[in-house]
Amino acid sequence: MLRLCFPLCGLLLNIRKSEEPNPMEQQNAAKPNVMIRVATFIVDKRSLIFLLVGIAIVFSLFSKNWVSVENDLTAYLPAGSVTKEGLDLMEQQFITYGSAKIMVANVSYEEAEALYEKIKAVEGVQSVDFDRTTEHYSKASALFSITFDYKETDDACLDALASVKALLAPYDTYVSTTLGDTSAELIAQEVNMITAFVAVIVVVVLAFTSLTYADVPIIGLTFIVAAAMNMGTSFLMGTISFVSNSVTTILQLALSLDYAVIYSNRFKEERQTHELREAVIISLSKAIPEVGASSLTTIGGLIAMMFMQFKLGPDMAVNLIKAILFSLLSVFTVMPGLLMLMGNLMEKTRHRNFVPKVPFVGRFAYATRAVIPPVFVLAVVFAISLSNNCPYVYGYDTLVTPRLNEMQIADKMIAETFSSRAMVALVVPGGDYSEEQSLIRDLEDYAEVDSVTAIANSDAIGGYKLADKLSPREFAELMKLDYETAEFVYAAYAVKNEKYDKLVSGIAKYRIPLIDMLLYISDKVDEGYITLEGDQADTLSDAKALMLMGKQQLEGEDYDRMLVYLTLPEAGEETYRFTDTLRAAAQEHYPKGRVYVVGNSTNQYEFMKSFQIDNIVVSVVSILIVLVVLLFTFKSAGMPVLLILVIQGSVWMNFSYPTLAHKDVFFLTQLVVSSIQMGANIDYAIVIASRYSENVKTMDRKEAIIEAMNFAFPTILTSGTILAVSGILISFLTTECTINGIGEALGRGTIISIILVMFVLPQILVLGGKILEKTSFSMPNVSREQRGSGLVAVDGLIVGEIRGTVNGVFRGTIDGDVNVRLLSGRAGPPAGTPPEAPADAPALPEGDVENAPAPEKPAAPAEDRGEEASHE
């Protein structure tokens, strides 16, 4: 007798029993395993599933409009940050009026002055800032800073802005404003366009890489269902970011399309030897664990973003994970029904394999196995250094997108034409004008401070400031009132504010801030208790409107706000440090209260501080999660390290490019793309490493890597092309800087990953074979003992005896006695051979007879099977 050792090859078949059948095997055959039972239920209940999915899609068409989208990145600052507290406080305590900047090009100063008067007269315009300084007139262009009568959230601002635009229609104008949802509408239009382009690319790629044209509608419908249900449930998240709302569907397609492709390939494989229903059930039972395992690395990479302090990370992570789960659900529940409906069409639309073999890649890998790995290690060290110096920025000022929208063009023109000043809001405890005036004097001593605007230093009339405290006599002289009338008004004011001690100590010594007294008199004039004549009444009425507006914007219930204009740029280390200086200076004047510095500069400063922590956390967590998944996948300590080194190396190389190109990168790009790249691109490495580990058991290393690359290339081509093209399209077709940066880096990173797994990873696997063997901690388990005689089909990892010694790759039939221990795989009668089993031996669970499957087909020719298996 000869000893036989067959390696694991792929498909698992049955074995013909000997004269005395094994009772335990009969019992196991009578009860299909859990996956078979689950798959049978899904296939047989497909009509019910279609009905439920239809209802869900109809619901989603309505519910997707319920999603609330947050367009402000500062909303995702860490809850405990001082800047976030300051922003929330300003929203609660102060009113912000709608505003706009309008540049009119190619006008003389005299024409600009005339336009200034006309704009002031437009209904809804509260004030217009314009003068001869370079902030408002430069290079034959005028810049009008307009404030409207309404809060910035009031639609009346848009009506007033439309009136101003109509007035300036004959001129060359550029409008910059944050009013309305213009930005959100532009992003939505761009995303729709990008999605359409990506869909076309997906159809082309699937038609090229699939072996049947019917794959395209089946996989397409499966994804459409997943995307619709994902969008329809986003309202359950409450509010989602504009970034998540924009890119989730596109990334869902790019990241999860493989799941449907894996199942489709499994089905085509099983269809060669099974009837339609059985093929769908068996392939689904195999695809569920396989696809589920494939999704773990992607989900693991996304989970890393949930640990970010900057809450946009968790927002994107949850939305993308939800999208992937819906993709899995659609593949496991909807796609089986579609295969039952169109399974026979797949046979009719088969075409030859357009994806070429790539044996030259494997041969190159083997020939350069001693050269490429050391070069790669040196490149990684160099890339680490470059990526650590990547020019990250925390605002949009220096970022450039391939396309500019109307608002961006206006902002660019204004920035290039006029000088500008960085501005921050200093929020301090209110109620003490004297302390505010003292603080303002201290602030104006700093060279970095250009000016300060606050109630405490705003000009009034007669050379006084609004916060100056006047006695009754000074007020009477200022307003040209009788002294007795002024005393009476002061006494009435004291009574209203319960300052009875002032009545006792003498009204003549009572000093009241000018703004408070002017507003009090104005109220009494309106009530008819005080009468003013002619110009006095008009002047006071105009002053009242301006003072009320000033108080609403600069005075809150508990806090006052000062606008500090700086001589520094809006972004930069020097500006960030000076905001700390401002806060410290204000805190000295209010030692018992809390002060806040808020503005674009401090927002970016907070982004920078969060990024310094989040960047480390995301990198470490994503690597650890993927490492754990790979440890259980390969049961080896060495393999996960090698795979992660390759993909993390591609991340470092990806973010080395901006350093070499001197191109600024928005900080969010690094956080989001590094997680997605690690979670998604690691799959390419897994496919190659898995097949090579399997092949090397029965082949020499050269043949093993050649076959592994031939096998993996279609998968990498399909998935990699779609993800890379999706990222590139996002970067070229969007005008939003955050989305543009994510798309560009994702496309570039995917291309780098593909190059490394095709031309670096194979060499590492070949060279590191000894390391992989020594770090493996898995041993094959004996499955069960099998006996048989006659014609036997064998395909699996077995050890046993036949009429001679055989050691090699085997897939075929054996005519003789078989006595083996099955380590992996299955063996059984060839396709079409009636089983020699009792009459009551069970088969797959019976399903409905609707759409009865066609009779069992003979197996496809060997070359077709090999071709399709290589495509899997």
Side-chain angles (χ1 to χ4, degrees):
M1 300 294 290
L2 301 178
R3 187 166 300 278
L4 170 68
C5 180
F6 292 127
L8 178 62
C9 299
L11 295 177
L12 309 178
L13 307 175
N14 295 316
I15 187 167
R16 176 183 291 181
K17 306 301 179 188
S18 62
E19 299 296 331
E20 298 179 0
N22 188 322
M24 183 61 70
E25 290 179 1
Q26 292 184 23
Q27 182 179 354
N28 291 338
K31 284 188 177 181
N33 64 42
V34 175
M35 285 301 172
I36 287 289
R37 293 201 296 270
V38 170
T40 301
F41 176 84
I42 292 172
V43 171
D44 291 344
K45 300 298 181 182
R46 59 188 178 277
S47 297
L48 175 61
I49 291 173
F50 283 157
L51 175 62
L52 295 176
V53 168
I55 294 172
I57 290 176
V58 172
F59 174 79
S60 297
L61 293 176
F62 294 95
S63 61
K64 69 184 183 67
N65 298 318
W66 305 343
V67 180
S68 176
V69 179
E70 176 58 67
N71 295 303
D72 186 3
L73 288 177
T74 61
Y76 296 96
L77 284 169
S81 71
V82 177
T83 301
K84 176 64 173 173
E85 289 180 10
L87 288 167
D88 292 341
L89 182 67
M90 287 206 307
E91 185 175 351
Q92 297 165 7
Q93 298 255 332
F94 307 102
I95 292 177
T96 300
Y97 287 91
S99 62
K101 290 183 177 180
I102 300 182
M103 170 181 163
V104 180
N106 303 314
V107 292
S108 66
Y109 183 76
E110 290 71 22
E111 290 176 303
E113 278 191 318
L115 290 175
Y116 164 67
E117 296 297 334
K118 292 179 180 179
I119 294 172
K120 283 200 305 183
V122 172
E123 183 178 357
V125 172
Q126 187 179 92
S127 63
V128 182
D129 291 339
F130 176 75
D131 52 37
R132 275 191 177 275
T133 64
T134 56
E135 292 180 14
H136 293 287
Y137 189 79
S138 176
K139 301 176 183 177
S141 298
L143 180 64
F144 303 104
S145 300
I146 303 172
T147 303
F148 299 102
D149 285 327
Y150 319 101
K151 296 180 183 178
E152 62 180 353
T153 55
D154 194 328
D155 289 341
C157 288
L158 296 175
D159 296 334
L161 178 59
S163 298
V164 175
K165 286 181 178 179
L167 173 67
L168 300 175
Y171 298 89
D172 185 10
T173 59
Y174 301 89
V175 180
S176 174
T177 183
T178 57
L179 297 176
D181 294 327
T182 305
S183 178
E185 293 170 359
L186 286 171
I187 292 174
Q189 293 171 3
E190 292 167 356
V191 168
N192 290 336
M193 179 171 57
I194 294 169
T195 303
F197 276 108
V198 171
V200 172
I201 296 297
V202 168
V203 169
V204 172
V205 171
L206 285 179
F208 180 78
T209 59
S210 177
L211 294 177
T212 170
Y213 293 118
D215 261 353
V216 176
I218 292 174
I219 295 175
L221 287 171
T222 301
F223 175 76
I224 289 172
V225 169
M229 291 193 294
N230 183 56
M231 288 189 292
T233 55
S234 291
F235 76 96
L236 297 174
M237 310 296 296
T239 299
I240 66 175
S241 70
F242 72 94
V243 181
S244 297
N245 189 57
S246 301
V247 302
T248 295
T249 300
I250 299 170
L251 292 182
Q252 180 185 10
L253 173 60
L255 294 174
S256 60
L257 191 71
D258 270 359
Y259 309 154
V261 172
I262 290 172
Y263 181 26
S264 176
N265 287 339
R266 276 293 181 190
F267 166 75
K268 284 178 285 190
E269 189 175 314
E270 298 297 334
R271 188 71 176 99
Q272 295 177 15
T273 55
H274 294 85
E275 296 180 352
L276 178 61
R277 175 176 172 273
E278 292 181 347
V280 175
I281 292 173
I282 294 173
S283 59
L284 179 59
S285 70
K286 295 178 179 179
I288 289 176
E290 185 176 354
V291 171
S294 176
S295 68
L296 288 179
T297 53
T298 303
I299 292 175
L302 296 174
I303 287 175
M305 289 197 292
M306 299 182 69
F307 291 86
M308 287 170 53
Q309 290 185 347
F310 189 62
K311 298 307 177 185
L312 185 67
D315 176 86
M316 285 198 68
V318 171
N319 279 281
L320 286 173
I321 290 173
K322 180 169 71 73
I324 289 174
L325 293 178
F326 271 114
S327 295
L328 292 173
L329 180 65
S330 184
V331 169
F332 295 155
T333 60
V334 176
M335 192 170 172
L338 294 175
L339 288 173
M340 287 294 294
L341 290 176
M342 292 187 274
N344 292 326
L345 181 63
M346 294 179 72
E347 298 301 319
K348 296 177 182 179
T349 59
R350 287 177 63 89
H351 59 76
R352 70 180 181 86
N353 189 358
F354 297 126
V355 180
K357 301 282 188 180
V358 287
F360 65 91
V361 175
R363 288 195 289 266
F364 173 78
Y366 188 79
T368 59
R369 63 190 182 280
V371 177
I372 296 297
V375 172
F376 172 68
V377 171
L378 291 176
V380 167
V381 173
F382 187 54
I384 292 173
S385 175
L386 290 175
S387 62
N388 287 337
N389 294 313
C390 186
Y392 296 113
V393 295
Y394 307 93
Y396 287 179
D397 291 351
T398 61
L399 298 178
V400 179
T401 57
R403 296 173 62 243
L404 297 176
N405 58 42
E406 183 179 341
M407 194 75 66
Q408 290 170 325
I409 293 173
D411 289 339
K412 184 178 182 220
M413 291 294 295
I414 291 172
E416 291 176 352
T417 307
F418 300 96
S419 61
S420 60
R421 299 176 294 173
M423 186 270 288
V424 294
L426 182 59
V427 181
V428 299
D432 191 340
Y433 288 132
S434 298
E435 196 64 52
E436 287 182 27
Q437 289 174 327
S438 175
L439 173 58
I440 290 170
R441 286 193 294 270
D442 288 348
L443 294 179
E444 289 176 340
D445 288 339
Y446 287 101
E448 295 88 348
V449 174
D450 185 38
S451 63
V452 181
T453 298
I455 291 291
N457 71 338
S458 295
D459 292 330
I461 53 178
Y464 288 105
K465 304 291 185 183
L466 285 175
D468 288 346
K469 294 182 177 180
L470 276 63
S471 67
R473 182 170 298 282
E474 291 169 333
F475 185 74
E477 293 173 354
L478 176 65
M479 299 299 296
K480 300 178 181 179
L481 296 174
D482 293 335
Y483 178 67
E484 292 77 9
T485 302
E487 277 194 323
F488 174 77
V489 172
Y490 267 59
Y493 182 89
V495 171
K496 177 189 175 185
N497 292 279
E498 299 181 355
K499 301 288 185 180
Y500 302 114
D501 58 314
K502 302 300 181 182
L503 298 175
V504 175
S505 61
I507 289 296
K509 299 179 181 178
Y510 189 16
R511 305 184 72 84
I512 301 173
L514 179 56
I515 185 173
D516 294 338
M517 184 50 64
L518 288 174
L519 290 173
Y520 178 73
I521 289 180
S522 180
D523 289 340
K524 293 307 174 185
V525 169
D526 293 340
E527 294 170 5
Y529 293 107
I530 299 177
T531 302
L532 296 178
E533 298 180 356
D535 293 340
Q536 273 187 327
D538 294 337
T539 301
L540 187 61
S541 177
D542 293 340
K544 178 182 179 181
L546 292 174
M547 287 187 293
L548 286 176
M549 183 188 74
K551 284 181 72 72
Q552 289 172 336
Q553 294 187 91
L554 299 175
E555 283 192 12
E557 183 177 347
D558 305 304
Y559 285 84
D560 290 346
R561 177 165 60 175
M562 306 177 187
L563 305 181
V564 183
Y565 294 89
L566 307 178
T567 59
L568 301 172
E570 193 169 78
E573 292 287 344
E574 185 180 3
T575 305
Y576 301 153
R577 287 195 299 270
F578 187 69
T579 59
D580 288 335
T581 302
L582 281 178
R583 186 179 293 107
Q587 198 68 67
E588 290 181 3
H589 287 264
Y590 299 92
K592 297 182 179 180
R594 190 155 190 183
V595 299
Y596 302 91
V597 181
V598 182
N600 289 336
S601 299
T602 56
N603 294 342
Q604 295 179 32
Y605 190 21
E606 201 69 53
F607 291 158
M608 185 185 75
K609 290 188 287 187
S610 297
F611 174 68
Q612 291 171 346
I613 298 174
D614 288 341
N615 193 25
I616 298 173
V617 170
V618 168
S619 298
V620 172
V621 173
S622 63
I623 289 174
L624 289 178
I625 292 177
V626 173
L627 180 64
V628 170
V629 174
L630 295 181
L631 281 173
F632 282 98
T633 301
F634 290 99
K635 295 182 173 56
S636 165
M639 183 68 82
V641 172
L642 294 180
L643 300 189
I644 288 176
L645 175 63
V646 172
I647 301 302
Q648 185 59 44
S650 72
V651 174
W652 285 321
M653 292 179 184
N654 189 14
F655 289 95
S656 297
Y657 169 78
T659 305
L660 295 172
H662 304 288
K663 183 176 182 180
D664 291 339
V665 176
F666 195 51
F667 76 104
L668 267 179
T669 300
Q670 158 71 19
L671 298 174
V672 174
V673 172
S674 61
S675 298
I676 295 176
Q677 193 174 342
M678 174 58 72
N681 295 168
I682 194 74
D683 283 349
Y684 312 154
I686 292 174
V687 172
I688 296 173
S690 298
R691 182 49 60 118
Y692 175 75
S693 299
E694 182 179 315
N695 291 347
V696 81
K697 296 174 184 176
T698 57
M699 306 179 187
D700 60 54
R701 289 182 297 166
K702 182 177 181 180
E703 288 301 317
I705 199 63
I706 290 174
E707 289 301 318
M709 298 310 298
N710 282 336
F711 171 81
F713 181 64
T715 300
I716 296 172
L717 179 66
T718 304
S719 179
T721 299
I722 291 173
L723 186 56
V725 170
S726 296
I728 292 169
L729 285 175
I730 289 172
S731 68
F732 275 100
L733 298 179
T734 186
T735 59
E736 212 292 322
C737 293
T738 303
I739 301 172
N740 165 265
I742 291 173
E744 180 182 349
L746 185 60
R748 183 177 63 239
T750 301
I751 293 172
I752 294 173
S753 296
I754 291 173
I755 293 173
L756 292 186
V757 299
M758 290 291 293
F759 298 103
V760 174
L761 177 62
Q763 286 88 331
I764 292 176
L765 292 175
V766 173
L767 188 66
K770 295 295 183 182
I771 298 175
L772 299 180
E773 290 176 8
K774 292 181 179 179
T775 57
S776 175
F777 52 82
S778 69
M779 292 294 292
N781 295 320
V782 175
S783 174
R784 60 187 180 277
E785 184 172 316
Q786 299 282 2
R787 297 174 183 270
S789 62
L791 194 62
V792 179
V794 178
D795 185 1
L797 179 59
I798 60 175
V799 175
E801 295 179 349
I802 59 171
R803 301 173 187 167
T805 301
V806 179
N807 186 345
V809 177
F810 185 84
R811 171 181 290 181
T813 59
I814 300 172
D815 188 3
D817 295 330
V818 176
N819 180 7
V820 298
R821 285 179 295 121
L822 188 62
L823 301 181
S824 176
R826 294 169 66 188
T833 304
E836 295 183 4
D840 57 350
L844 285 173
E846 293 296 331
D848 53 52
V849 295
E850 157 187 33
N851 299 322
E856 183 177 351
K857 301 171 38 177
E863 62 267 22
D864 289 347
R865 290 200 303 272
E867 188 174 83
E868 186 160 312
S870 71
H871 170 70
E872 180 187 351

